[in-house]
Amino acid sequence: MSSSVVQTKSERTRAIIRDVALRSFRERGYDQTTIRLIAHEAGVSVGTTNYHFASKNDLVQELYLDVQQSHRAAAVPLLADSDDLVDRLGIVFRTGVAQLEPYHRYAPEFLSAAVSPRSSINPLSGESAESRDIVVGLFRDAIEGSSDKLPAEFRDDLPDALMLAHLLLALFWVYDSSAGQVRTRRLLDRGLRLLKLSLPLVRSRLLRRPLRELLDLIAEVKA
Amino acid sequence: MSSSVVQTKSERTRAIIRDVALRSFRERGYDQTTIRLIAHEAGVSVGTTNYHFASKNDLVQELYLDVQQSHRAAAVPLLADSDDLVDRLGIVFRTGVAQLEPYHRYAPEFLSAAVSPRSSINPLSGESAESRDIVVGLFRDAIEGSSDKLPAEFRDDLPDALMLAHLLLALFWVYDSSAGQVRTRRLLDRGLRLLKLSLPLVRSRLLRRPLRELLDLIAEVKA
């Protein structure tokens, strides 16, 4: 998806390089995509490519943005149809996993390149903030637009916790070799059912202390 | 730790190569350790090294075994002192994390090399079964030697689920840049406290369905 208001020649060149790179990531994966190959296919020099994108990982950030913009475009219309909290969270998770599908074949390569906390394409890195914020924002919208009102302490911490849960689900998906990754969808369905059964208990006195502990634990992971 | 009954010259050579490799992993990390370097430091040829260990990743398996044998050696005496289930699980988790400490500096390298489901040093790979089984066995011992009796459905699924939890804790630890990885220990303490508060609820009617869902979800992850 190129920008709709491409103006200067430089911007056009940048958009071409970006589109070529995104197609290459999808068709060749991470390891086999090189700046040299992208330059060749975009019909520009390696120098021009490097002028627009200093490294392959800068182009992976374009891929992340593209994936999460598609995620938002897929989730938002569906969110308009439900005010049930768990349904709404399910929409965000399901449309998120759906965006990843074209990349499953090469997912182990992307995972190896991105998993190190020192990697600029780590989903939790500063460089990845823009695409990560789209996911956090979608979970926040899912919660705020729901008719189920959560205690404030939950509401504030939940979007970040759900973004982490989404990353763990994506990790499971990388490992999922079932046809069409049906096990990932089953795991998600079970997780949502568990959440649905647990939500009415949020205010139960019996569970007040365990839930407080769970929130503190999530805050610890986020910190 | 070399084998205590080193007999033939070939076995002695193998033990030397192994010890040199383990020291190199600790001191240089994964990326900078090469078969060539190990051969040089062991005073043998590259061919001899390759005869005993076909690849660097075979030596990582020796490292995994060494770490988990030390884990068992540290956990077993402590387990003799408590029959409280959560205390016993805490012992297995804490002694497990303690074994990793010397490797924290290079942990991102090991993580990148091991995280792909196609990697032979992935902790869930067939090649890693021997060291993984030590961890599962420790969790099984912790459960079976406890005075808290769990419903059978929990008892059977729990060791594998706890091994996965231990891997997720290790993942958190790789990302933990706090001094002495104190946040990992705090996260573990919180998780154990949550478990302690939740255990009495295992038989509550209110929670029967959510817990059944949780078990099914864990079974799905394991499958």
Side-chain angles (χ1 to χ4, degrees), chain A residues 105 108 112 115-116 118 122 175 183 186-187 190-191 193-194 201 206-207 210 213 216-217 220-221 223, chain B residues 105 108 112 115-116 118 122 175 183 186-187 190-191 193-194 201 206-207 210 213 216-217 220-221 223:
Chain A
R105 187 161 46 133
S112 297
V115 76
S116 166
R118 293 168 194 161
N122 187 295
Y175 281 75
R183 290 188 51 228
R186 217 152 55 204
L187 177 67
R190 287 200 183 285
R193 208 145 56 217
L194 176 59
L201 309 177
L206 190 66
L207 292 182
E213 280 297 330
D216 289 347
L217 189 145
E220 188 66 43
V221 172
Chain B
R105 187 161 47 133
S112 297
V115 77
S116 167
R118 294 170 193 159
N122 186 295
Y175 281 75
R183 290 188 51 225
R186 216 150 56 202
L187 177 67
R190 287 199 182 284
R193 208 144 57 216
L194 175 59
L201 310 177
L206 191 65
L207 292 182
E213 281 296 329
D216 288 348
L217 189 145
E220 188 67 44
V221 172

Side-chain angles (χ1 to χ4, degrees), chain A residues 2-218:
Chain A
S2 307
S3 165
S4 54
V5 233
V6 172
Q7 293 159 320
T8 67
K9 181 165 183 297
S10 174
E11 282 169 345
R12 273 198 306 277
T13 304
R14 183 187 162 90
I16 290 168
I17 295 169
R18 178 186 163 283
D19 291 350
V20 165
L22 265 52
R23 196 180 59 230
S24 179
F25 286 135
R26 211 162 39 236
E27 293 177 359
R28 293 193 186 94
Y30 178 83
D31 293 351
Q32 299 300 316
T33 293
T34 63
I35 290 284
R36 183 168 299 273
L37 210 51
I38 293 167
H40 175 73
E41 294 183 355
V44 299
S45 70
V46 167
T48 298
T49 306
N50 278 328
Y51 168 78
H52 289 286
F53 301 99
S55 72
K56 179 159 81 170
N57 283 353
D58 284 10
L59 285 157
V60 173
Q61 290 297 350
E62 297 290 325
L63 173 66
Y64 285 176
L65 269 179
D66 189 70
V67 166
Q68 295 312 339
Q69 282 158 357
S70 303
H71 181 188
R72 185 164 52 197
V76 167
L78 296 173
L79 286 174
D81 292 338
S82 169
D83 63 359
D84 176 84
L85 178 59
V86 176
D87 284 352
R88 292 172 65 85
L89 296 179
I91 287 166
V92 178
F93 278 114
R94 285 197 191 93
T95 51
V97 171
Q99 305 316 310
L100 304 177
E101 268 169 29
Y103 305 94
H104 192 263
R105 187 161 46 133
Y106 296 115
E109 295 179 8
F110 282 98
L111 177 60
S112 297
V115 76
S116 166
R118 293 168 194 161
S119 169
S120 69
I121 58 168
N122 187 295
L124 300 175
S125 71
E127 291 88 339
S128 304
E130 195 177 343
S131 48
R132 184 171 66 244
D133 286 349
I134 296 177
V135 182
V136 175
L138 279 173
F139 280 120
R140 186 172 298 115
D141 292 350
I143 295 166
E144 289 179 356
S146 136
S147 58
D148 307 80
K149 292 305 167 210
L150 292 170
E153 50 185 13
F154 272 90
R155 223 171 35 230
D156 299 343
D157 289 346
L158 216 48
D160 279 312
L162 290 165
M163 181 271 294
L164 286 176
H166 195 265
L167 281 177
L168 287 176
L169 186 69
L171 181 64
F172 183 84
W173 170 86
V174 178
Y175 281 75
D176 182 359
S177 56
S178 65
Q181 286 70 62
V182 65
R183 290 188 51 228
T184 301
R185 263 171 280 147
R186 217 152 55 204
L187 177 67
L188 177 57
D189 289 346
R190 287 200 183 285
L192 292 168
R193 208 145 56 217
L194 176 59
L195 193 62
K196 185 139 200 123
L197 287 165
S198 312
L199 271 182
L201 309 177
V202 162
R203 286 186 179 79
S204 140
R205 274 194 52 215
L206 190 66
L207 292 182
R208 191 167 300 163
R209 280 191 61 205
L211 283 172
R212 185 65 254 164
E213 280 297 330
L214 181 62
L215 280 179
D216 289 347
L217 189 145
I218 289 168

